[in-house]
Amino acid sequence: MSVLSGKKIVLGVTAGIAAYKTTYLVRLFVKSGAEVKVVMTPSAKEFVTPLTLSTLSKNEVHSSFTNEEDDNAQWNNHVALALWADLFVIAPATANTLSKMAHGTCDNLLLAVYLSAKCPVYYAPAMDLDMYQHPSTKATFKTLASFGNIQIPATHGELASGLVGQGRMAEPEDILAFLEAEIGKNLPLKGKKIVITAGPTYEAIDPVRFIGNHSSGKMGYAIADEAANLGAEVILVSGPSHVVLKNSFVNTISVLSAKEMYVAVHEHFNTCDVAILSAAVADYRSKTVASEKIKKKEGALILQLEKTDDILASLGKIKTNQFLVGFALETQNELENAKSKLEKKNLDLIVLNSLKDKGAGFKGDTNKVTFITKDNKVVPFSVKPKTEVAKDILQYILQQIHA
Ligand code: CTP
């Protein structure tokens, strides 16, 4: 998944030959999960049609302050459009538009959006080589940099004039990669490694049977997704789960048993900054695993169970700087039990969910949790989607590790 997923992008298209490439650019933005609205300068419409861009972006394209064709002409609200955007990308950006941006000129909708924008502004210059080298253009770049606008540098190559030199707009794929890298480096968990466990474990009895539980893995997967969206390197150690995670920034290690989960987690714990153990690990496994399917016989079958290793407790014993988070699923004396787990397992935070609460538990899409912190603070939350609970957990961790 791209870091642009869910982002709102206003794409400003100005009158350069490279405007035809914005059809690909819009497609790439949409494919990466972004929502795109296009504004054009009036002359840009001679290079690429609003119809093409509105079809590809699935949004109306605006190029003037009012809809001229409409008798009840409506004002195109540039302020609303600018405030809607998470990022404003101007590509291609001609020398003319860049100069107007540098000087505060506001004679078209695109420039009005630019002047109203509070979000990061990126621009991809496109012009002939001599225009690119002109001292006036260089001064424009300097002024725009002083406004905090970020340039996506033009490349060297054949230009519309037939000359060869610097001034070609960066290719759409390169614009996308540039934006992803820029946004990625500013994410709050950039450079942090997080290990997360999720799902149940299956403890084999024989080749076809196991001891398991009803955990779906939804909570842990939501945490992994959110952590990756915040820029972390994520190692998700997952027991069997049907959840499909479409986030290419999450490295999933699939395991079956508590033993396998223990090994995978320990492999990464030393080098991680945060570990969040949300898996419902089996506390017991069969002492022996039959090599052949156990046949039914008269009378009862007695299975002898032995304890699995407590992964969370083992991490609590060896942790140095890692921020360690555990989960507690309780049915009685919830707070008391959770607090004692926090202490016994040497945790920094325990996330309590009670099976008594409506909307909490294993299979659903919602959860109701209470945080118990190392300094004994109890923070209850309302019932919310597991994706929102994941956000609450990571926001708390962010506050703590950046404090
Ligand atoms: N956990 C673990 N390894 C285990 C058992 C549990 O890492 N073998 C972790 C879970 O992922 C969870 C936390 O420990 O983060 C709490 O698990 P829970 O089963 O509620 O607690 P237990 O310590 O097993 O105690 P009890 O079953 O008595 O409630």
Side-chain angles (χ1 to χ4, degrees):
M1 203 176 75
S2 166
V3 286
L4 290 183
S5 176
K7 291 268 185 288
K8 298 186 186 100
I9 302 177
V10 170
L11 175 66
V13 181
T14 74
I17 291 289
Y20 80 91
K21 293 187 182 173
T22 56
T23 53
Y24 298 103
L25 186 58
V26 169
R27 280 199 64 201
L28 288 176
F29 284 163
V30 170
K31 258 175 96 177
S32 67
E35 196 179 339
V36 186
K37 291 187 180 177
V38 178
V39 281
M40 305 174 80
T41 59
S43 336
K45 293 196 285 186
E46 293 179 25
F47 294 86
V48 60
T49 73
L51 179 64
T52 309
L53 293 176
S54 66
T55 308
L56 292 170
S57 66
K58 303 186 184 80
N59 274 312
E60 272 182 70
V61 171
H62 295 298
S63 58
S64 60
F65 288 100
T66 56
N67 296 334
E68 299 106 6
E69 296 95 46
D70 187 349
D71 284 344
N72 310 310
Q74 269 191 7
W75 182 52
N76 290 326
N77 187 339
H78 58 88
V79 180
L81 193 56
L83 295 183
W84 174 84
D86 295 319
L87 54 155
F88 186 24
V89 183
I90 302 162
T94 58
N96 184 39
T97 292
L98 292 173
S99 165
K100 287 180 180 180
M101 284 160 58
H103 292 97
T105 308
C106 188
D107 61 0
N108 64 42
L109 182 73
L110 187 149
L111 290 162
V113 173
Y114 169 70
L115 287 174
S116 314
K118 290 187 176 157
C119 62
V121 175
Y122 298 87
Y123 67 92
M127 60 193 79
D128 214 55
L129 75 166
D130 293 320
M131 295 167 79
Y132 199 78
Q133 295 303 336
H134 197 280
S136 157
T137 308
K138 288 185 175 162
T140 295
F141 290 162
K142 243 189 179 166
T143 308
L144 294 178
S146 75
F147 297 163
N149 300 164
I150 300 160
Q151 186 185 130
I152 306 169
T155 58
H156 189 277
E158 193 178 333
L159 303 163
S161 61
L163 299 172
V164 174
Q166 188 156 22
R168 264 172 81 98
M169 185 181 83
E171 292 302 323
E173 292 81 1
D174 297 329
I175 293 178
L176 181 77
F178 184 97
L179 293 172
E180 286 179 334
E182 275 290 318
I183 292 168
K185 83 177 179 213
N186 294 324
L187 291 172
L189 283 175
K190 192 78 202 162
K192 301 283 181 210
K193 178 173 171 181
I194 303 195
V195 174
I196 297 161
T197 67
T201 62
Y202 287 179
E203 309 302 327
I205 296 170
D206 68 15
V208 293
R209 302 182 181 94
F210 59 83
I211 299 169
N213 61 66
H214 290 300
S215 169
S216 63
K218 284 178 184 168
M219 192 63 250
Y221 276 66
I223 298 169
D225 193 28
E226 178 64 11
N229 289 342
L230 293 172
E233 177 195 349
V234 179
I235 309 288
L236 172 66
V237 182
S238 173
S241 165
H242 294 296
V243 183
V244 180
L245 188 57
K246 289 195 211 113
N247 193 324
S248 56
F249 294 99
V250 174
N251 179 359
T252 306
I253 302 174
S254 299
V255 296
L256 217 52
S257 64
K259 207 174 208 169
E260 286 174 15
M261 189 172 273
Y262 183 101
V263 172
V265 168
H266 274 268
E267 202 168 300
H268 291 278
F269 186 69
N270 280 342
T271 52
C272 83
D273 302 283
V274 178
I276 307 171
L277 272 60
S278 70
V281 187
D283 286 330
Y284 292 92
R285 65 172 158 245
S286 178
K287 205 166 179 184
T288 53
V289 180
S291 57
E292 303 295 337
K293 187 178 168 211
I294 300 170
K295 300 300 282 179
K296 181 160 71 250
K297 290 193 190 112
E298 286 299 314
L301 169 73
I302 296 176
L303 275 180
Q304 220 188 346
L305 302 181
E306 65 180 7
K307 264 198 174 158
T308 58
D309 286 323
D310 189 320
I311 307 166
L312 185 59
S314 71
L315 300 182
K317 280 189 191 131
I318 59 168
K319 91 179 167 96
T320 50
N321 296 319
Q322 294 91 341
F323 192 89
L324 186 57
V325 182
F327 272 68
L329 180 65
E330 305 291 343
T331 54
Q332 56 188 346
N333 302 327
E334 292 94 338
L335 271 181
E336 209 179 296
N337 285 341
K339 272 183 192 170
S340 96
K341 270 178 206 171
L342 175 100
E343 274 166 34
K344 244 177 37 203
K345 300 191 188 188
N346 189 24
L347 310 181
D348 297 290
L349 172 71
I350 193 151
V351 180
L352 161 69
N353 38 138
S354 164
L355 272 189
K356 278 187 188 158
D357 285 323
K358 239 182 137 197
F362 269 174
K363 281 189 171 163
D365 289 324
T366 59
N367 207 354
K368 182 178 180 337
V369 302
T370 302
F371 289 178
I372 297 147
T373 68
K374 205 178 176 164
D375 49 1
N376 235 339
K377 280 200 191 96
V378 176
V379 189
F381 290 85
S382 54
V383 178
K384 34 176 109 175
K386 285 181 175 169
T387 48
E388 295 299 314
V389 176
K391 285 186 183 153
D392 290 336
I393 293 170
L394 285 158
Q395 282 312 314
Y396 178 78
I397 294 171
L398 263 173
Q399 281 167 20
Q400 297 304 307
I401 61 178
H402 287 155

